[in-house]
Structure formats: C-alpha cells, structure tokens
Amino acid sequence: MPDSNNGSARDAGPIELLQVAQYVRMSTEHQRYSTENQAEAISDYATSHGMRIVRTYRDDGKSGLNLGGREGLRKLLSDVRQGACDFSAVLVYDVSRWGRFPDPDEAAVYEYTCRQHGIRVIYCAEQFDNDNSMGSTILKSLKRSMSAEYSRELSVKVFAGQRTLVLRGYRQGGTAGFGLRRQLVDQDHNVKGILRLGEKKSIQTDRVLLVPGPAEEVAAVRRIYSLFLEAEQPERVIASTLNREGIPTDLGRQWTRGTVHQVLTNEKYIGNNVYNRTSFKLKIEHRRNPAEEWIRKNGAFEAIVPTEWFLRAQAIIAQRSRHVDDGQMLELLRQVLSKNGALSGMIIDEQEGIPSSSAYRARFGSLLRVYCLLGYHPKRDYGYLEINRALRRMHPELMAEVSDGIRSVGGWSRRDADTDLLTVNGEFTASLVIARCKPTPAGSYRWRIRLDTSLDPDITLVVRMGGSNEYPLDYYLLPSFDFSLDALPLAESNGFALDVYQFASLDSFYSLAARSSLKEAA
C-alpha cells in the first residue's frame, strides 16, 4: 500500500517562507564586521530558518554611537513607524551592530519601536533567542552595557592616539584655511601630494601636515597682518579691500570682518598645531574646552607670518576688551541687539568697535549667559542663528562630497564660483540647497527651504536636515519641469506627487551622472 504520509507531503504546496529584512552596519574597527560578512552570516541564518530576505537596510562606515548619519537605520525605523513594511522581522548580525549607544537604553527604545509595530528584531550571531524572556532581556542589557563601555574605552584610546599625533606635528582634521594647504605624507614622511578641499587620506598610516599654499594666498595673509599692524586698519576695512581687489576666501566667498579676524587669531599661521579647542566625545555634547585642556605643538608647521606679528595682533585684539568693564561690554552688546534685533556669535564678530564673541565667552563663560544678562529672549530660539551659520559652513563640504560622488561614477562637474551652480557632464545643471529643520510644538518637523530662482537649475538637490540639524535626514531631487515654488517638501509627508522625488541617499543623484562605456559598433 502506498504511504499515505508521503502522499500528503507530495500533494502539499510549496512552503511559504517568512519575509524578513536585514540591517547591516560597518563601523571601521575590524574586517570581520564588514557588511559583506554580516550579510553572508544573515543569509545563512535566513536559509536555515525558512526565511526570505526581501529588503536590506545598510550603513557602511557609520559609527554606532548615535542615530545621526545612519541613513539605513533611520529609514528602517521610518518604514516601521509608517507601516510601510513588507516583512515581519529584521535580522541583525549581533547586538553591537544595532548600535554602541553610550546610553544602553537608546538601543532598547529602537528595538521596542520595531516590536511595538509588529516587527521582531532577531540577532543572528547571538547565543540566545530574542524572545523577550527574562534570560534574553538580561543578556541584551549586559551586551548593550558592554558595547557602551567599549565605546567609552575606544574614545579614550582614540583621543590618546590623536594627542600623540598632534604632539608629533601632524594635523588632525579640519580644513587648512586661506593661505595653507593639507599635504599628505606616508609613514616614512615621503610627500604624496596635496589634499583638495573635501578629500581625506585613505591609508591608515598616512599623515597630514599643513604647508604654505599658493604664493598669492601667502602674500595676501601677510598683507592682512601688515594692514592691521602698520596701517592700523580694522578687520572690516581689510575685508572691503580684499573684496574690492577680487581676492576670494579659501571657500571662494567674499571676506567679512569675521573671516579676517580668524586669520589674525589662528596660531596655525605661525606654525603652531593646536588641538582640542572643542570636543564632541561619544557624539553626545559639543564642548568648548578651556585653554589648559588644549593640546599644542609649537613650530609644527612652516610659519607664513612671523611670530612677532601674530603676538602684536593678539595684543591689539585683547586690548579692545581689556579696558572695558563688564557693564560696558554688556552695554555695547545691547546697542548691537537694538540695531540688529538679534544676537549670535556671527553678528557680534561682524560689529566694529566691540569685543569679539570669543572675548564675551571668556569674560562671561558663554554667550547664553550674556544673553540672559541682557534679558534677551527672542521669540524664536536664538540657536537658529548658530544653526544657520553651521549650515553655511557645511555647504562647501556637501558640494565637495557631491562632486566626489559624481567623479566616483565616472562623471565630472564644474562649479560656478559665484553661484555654486553645478554643471554635470556638460549635460545638466544642479543647485544644492540645505534645508534647516524646525521641530514644531506638536513634535513633528518642518523645513525652511529657500531657493534662488535666478539660478534656474535643471535639478534642485534639497538636503533636509534631521531634528538636530547636524546630519542630513533625506534628499529631494526636484526637476525644474515638474515642481514649482508653491510645492516644496516643507513637511514630513508631502503627498505622492512630491515625495516620489524623496530619497534616503545621494545614490539616485549620482546615477544621473554615471557614465557607461559603449561597445564599438562593428
């Protein structure tokens, strides 16, 4: 007689696989955590457990200390919250790949968000089932705490390494500045070339030095000091002179009182390597460090102005506030507030005849305390002025990143020095706009988007910043033929007609610039 059980098995339809997503993240610490190796291990797990991976979220080379910059995890959480998931679980290699958050509870919150919306998080390489049992909960908490401690220990080790490099005379991060360039050298101190704006070293053992830039920029720096010391011209007059002569800053922009002031007060122009003026340890809080915590190496680089000039300039600048008592300093700033209707570090540095913002910080501890003493309570958060300033500084960095991305796919771009309009492959033009995020009292987000209609680009690339305005949240590629100023992505959801142009990364923009070789016709 035929085996009835075997017959039933033959008659049964194909087994339906459980649809899952995978999340992979690579920091930079070890090859065994590469996204490719994680994906391979996750794939094996899925196969052996009757699962089919239908979606991948990834963060390559991203720190696990916070959510900022992790587009993959942000997109995953966004899809989960919006119910836009075609999967019922997320596979992650292990607990640390989910994140090494300094506060272990942060990782728990994101995992709970998934579970709350019916999406289970499964750690494939862990020796426990993430079934919310007491045992798994204890083990996860332990591993999250261990990951947080690992991050703290790594932060200490990294800082110690950076301190050693600074004391050996190597540059640690930041742009070179007007009149200077970043020179790349190998471990034997052989020169490898000059790094352009936005470029970074790619070999771990390479190092960066500051060297004098083009002769005309070096001459302009020395002239700034000469005009300030010998001609006794204030920073604003010097800026006007440079602009009138058509000399741009290192970022291709016009000079201001503040940018001239930076040249007159930065020790790198006399060859000193100064580090740790500010810190952002564990990416928790930006901190302006007292001078005694700075790390310095005097004479690390070739000076382009004499030390005597620099010291004389500092004495003049310090004298501006030395003879002014606290009450007088506040009164001067009260006049600025009355004139401008607002205050910020940038506004203060642009004023003639008053101490700089750094002098106010040194005298009163912080600008926030100065504002309180003045009774300055703006209708809007005073911080938006500083945010705008930070976003302006970010613009050339993003422009360089976009240019590098275009080049990486075989394309080329040309930037107009006056308008920042990009011409890509000689085929289309693109304008880059950074949109500041403004949280509403109800907890949602809105964005301020200002377009220069005179540019008339073929594509407007809108970079919408996240809630902290430190990292991009998403990108909109808006073609000129299909949108108007009356329809801009100002809200979190803007309707299909507009959100069809929304992307989680710049890859879609780069694909427009990609070049493909064609086989020669026979």
Side-chain angles (χ1 to χ4, degrees):
M1 294 179 63
D3 189 328
S4 59
N5 289 335
N6 288 342
S8 298
R10 284 192 300 270
D11 293 339
I15 300 175
E16 183 176 351
L17 300 178
L18 180 67
Q19 294 196 144
V20 298
Q22 64 174 337
Y23 173 72
V24 292
R25 178 183 68 83
M26 179 186 73
S27 51
T28 54
E29 65 211 44
H30 206 286
Q31 183 60 34
R32 74 185 180 93
Y33 282 136
S34 72
T35 51
E36 291 79 9
N37 290 346
Q38 291 174 55
E40 183 178 350
I42 290 173
S43 177
D44 291 343
Y45 182 94
T47 300
S48 63
H49 288 77
M51 301 174 178
R52 181 164 67 94
I53 299 173
V54 297
R55 195 166 301 279
T56 296
Y57 300 89
R58 63 189 302 139
D59 286 314
D60 290 319
K62 299 297 182 181
S63 166
L65 290 175
N66 59 32
L67 202 59
R70 293 172 64 180
E71 295 175 357
L73 183 54
R74 288 210 308 264
K75 183 66 170 70
L76 167 60
L77 294 172
S78 176
D79 288 349
V80 167
R81 292 186 181 110
Q82 295 176 14
C85 301
D86 53 359
F87 50 86
S88 58
V90 180
L91 304 185
V92 187
Y93 182 75
D94 64 13
V95 172
S96 70
R97 295 304 89 197
W98 192 247
R100 298 187 186 277
F101 302 102
D103 185 344
D105 289 341
E106 185 171 354
V109 168
Y110 299 143
E111 181 179 320
Y112 176 73
T113 297
C114 293
R115 189 166 66 247
Q116 187 180 34
H117 290 81
I119 305 298
R120 184 183 173 196
V121 178
I122 300 173
Y123 301 112
C124 303
E126 300 292 3
Q127 300 302 311
F128 59 86
D129 291 328
N130 192 14
D131 55 4
N132 210 30
S133 65
M134 179 178 294
S136 69
T137 300
I138 292 174
L139 286 172
K140 280 191 300 182
S141 297
L142 178 60
K143 285 181 171 287
R144 287 168 181 157
S145 297
M146 291 171 61
S147 294
E149 183 60 29
Y150 171 85
S151 296
R152 282 187 282 270
E153 292 179 355
L154 183 62
S155 174
V156 172
K157 292 177 181 178
V158 168
F159 181 77
Q162 291 171 331
R163 181 180 185 277
T164 298
L165 291 175
V166 169
L167 293 177
R168 291 178 61 187
Y170 297 119
R171 175 77 168 177
Q172 293 297 298
T175 58
F178 184 79
L180 297 167
R181 292 295 185 271
R182 294 177 300 146
Q183 185 181 74
L184 190 65
V185 298
D186 64 18
Q187 59 185 350
D188 297 319
H189 230 261
N190 298 313
V191 175
K192 301 183 69 174
I194 298 295
L195 291 173
R196 291 178 296 181
L197 185 67
E199 289 185 336
K200 300 179 181 180
K201 69 185 187 74
S202 57
I203 301 177
Q204 189 174 7
T205 54
D206 285 350
R207 299 288 177 251
V208 176
L209 301 171
L210 282 188
V211 296
E216 59 272 18
E217 288 191 20
V218 172
V221 170
R222 296 174 67 89
R223 186 171 173 223
I224 288 173
Y225 276 83
S226 177
L227 291 173
F228 185 75
L229 297 173
E230 307 304 329
E232 298 183 355
Q233 292 184 4
E235 290 96 320
R236 185 180 297 280
V237 175
I238 297 173
S240 299
T241 300
L242 296 174
N243 292 332
R244 189 168 54 251
E245 296 176 359
I247 302 174
T249 68
D250 54 312
L251 300 179
R253 303 183 183 280
Q254 288 201 325
W255 291 87
T256 66
R257 181 183 187 274
T259 51
V260 172
H261 186 78
Q262 290 172 5
V263 172
L264 291 170
T265 56
N266 199 307
E267 293 186 47
K268 63 188 176 184
Y269 291 104
I270 58 172
N272 292 350
N273 194 15
V274 183
Y275 182 69
N276 201 43
R277 286 189 177 97
T278 62
S279 57
F280 189 31
K281 292 183 178 179
L282 295 177
K283 298 188 176 181
I284 296 175
E285 179 184 6
H286 283 283
R287 177 174 179 259
R288 184 179 297 274
N289 298 319
E292 56 268 20
E293 293 184 16
W294 295 359
I295 300 168
R296 62 169 56 250
K297 170 70 174 177
N298 294 336
F301 315 122
E302 180 181 348
I304 62 176
V305 296
T307 302
E308 178 193 356
W309 292 9
F310 182 82
L311 294 178
R312 286 174 57 196
Q314 304 325 295
I316 293 172
I317 293 171
Q319 187 62 31
R320 292 174 182 169
S321 58
R322 184 172 297 134
H323 65 279
V324 181
D325 61 30
D326 291 0
Q328 292 172 319
M329 288 184 71
L330 291 175
E331 179 56 32
L332 289 171
L333 207 54
R334 188 174 286 110
Q335 295 172 13
V336 174
L337 175 59
S338 176
K339 173 185 175 182
N340 292 272
L343 289 176
S344 73
M346 179 179 64
I347 291 176
I348 295 171
D349 287 338
E350 290 300 323
Q351 305 304 309
E352 197 67 61
I354 74 168
S356 65
S357 61
S358 59
Y360 278 96
R361 290 190 186 96
R363 180 75 67 89
F364 296 97
S366 70
L367 289 182
L368 180 59
R369 183 165 181 268
V370 176
Y371 298 159
C372 291
L373 292 173
L374 290 175
Y376 173 46
H377 302 290
K379 295 180 180 178
R380 290 182 291 178
D381 182 2
Y382 75 92
Y384 83 95
L385 296 168
E386 297 297 338
I387 291 173
N388 287 345
R389 185 181 185 185
L391 295 184
R392 283 194 292 271
R393 290 197 301 266
M394 184 184 296
H395 193 275
E397 298 174 3
L398 279 175
M399 290 290 292
E401 178 183 335
V402 169
S403 297
D404 290 343
I406 293 172
R407 190 161 47 247
S408 71
V409 297
W412 60 270
S413 63
R414 182 179 67 253
R415 183 179 70 85
D416 186 297
D418 295 324
T419 65
D420 278 337
L421 192 68
L422 277 181
T423 300
V424 182
N425 297 333
E427 298 170 347
F428 66 90
T429 57
S431 174
L432 175 67
V433 176
I434 302 178
R436 173 168 61 89
C437 180
K438 180 181 179 182
T440 68
S444 59
Y445 291 149
R446 292 292 183 271
W447 284 267
R448 294 181 61 85
I449 301 177
R450 297 179 178 176
L451 305 182
D452 188 342
T453 55
S454 65
L455 297 181
D456 193 26
D458 296 312
I459 294 177
T460 299
L461 171 55
V462 177
V463 182
R464 299 202 314 179
M465 302 301 291
S468 65
N469 283 295
E470 295 179 7
Y471 306 97
L473 175 69
D474 56 22
Y475 306 86
Y476 277 78
L477 305 184
L478 303 177
S480 60
F481 64 83
D482 205 21
F483 87 100
S484 68
L485 294 178
D486 297 327
L488 291 173
L490 305 176
E492 294 181 61
S493 298
N494 301 278
F496 176 79
L498 194 55
D499 286 347
V500 70
Y501 298 115
Q502 179 186 26
F503 301 92
S505 71
L506 289 170
D507 292 344
S508 296
F509 178 76
Y510 296 148
S511 68
L512 300 176
R515 316 300 284 174
S516 300
S517 59
L518 300 177
K519 294 184 178 179
E520 184 178 351

